[in-house]
Amino acid sequence: GINAEYMGGMYDYAIQDYNTVLSLDPDNVHALHNRGISFDKKEEYQHAIADFSRVLELDPSNANAYLNRGSAYDSLGDFDAAIRDYSAALVVDTERQGADVAAP
């Protein structure tokens, strides 16, 4: 299955499967995020950044997408963008933890 391919390092196959999922459900955050990770593992950083950016359009509180996009920027040598994303991940994660603590 798709997760076995992803976890087993078969990123080309995983990307094909995520493409199929996204053709049916273009806003599937899980598929976008994991396809972005697959692209990152293949060192296709621009594609990874595009997927993580789309995840953040759909779910601006996704700290993992900020972290992963920051890592892709870092790999490209765009350290300013990486720092912005790492910082955003910290802010989002801190806000989420505060909301969890405040929840009844």
Side-chain angles (χ1 to χ4, degrees):
I2 191 169
N3 286 334
E5 292 166 353
Y6 167 75
M7 296 301 290
M10 299 170 56
Y11 300 115
D12 289 327
Y13 292 111
I15 289 168
Q16 289 175 11
D17 288 347
Y18 291 127
N19 287 342
T20 300
V21 170
L22 292 165
S23 72
L24 301 170
D25 182 7
D27 294 339
N28 186 309
V29 172
H30 180 74
L32 282 164
H33 192 259
N34 284 348
R35 186 177 69 177
I37 293 170
S38 296
F39 279 131
D40 187 79
K41 296 289 187 183
K42 291 176 42 94
E43 299 181 1
E44 294 182 22
Y45 302 117
Q46 294 294 348
H47 291 294
I49 289 166
D51 279 351
F52 298 136
S53 294
R54 181 66 181 138
V55 168
L56 290 166
E57 288 173 14
L58 297 167
D59 180 11
S61 65
N62 191 318
N64 287 329
Y66 279 113
L67 285 173
N68 288 320
R69 190 174 71 177
S71 177
Y73 280 129
D74 189 18
S75 295
L76 289 174
D78 188 345
F79 304 120
D80 290 337
I83 290 169
R84 277 194 303 274
D85 276 355
Y86 293 146
S87 297
L90 288 172
V91 169
V92 167
D93 194 50
T94 301
E95 289 172 354
R96 182 179 301 154
Q97 286 179 9
D100 289 345
V101 171

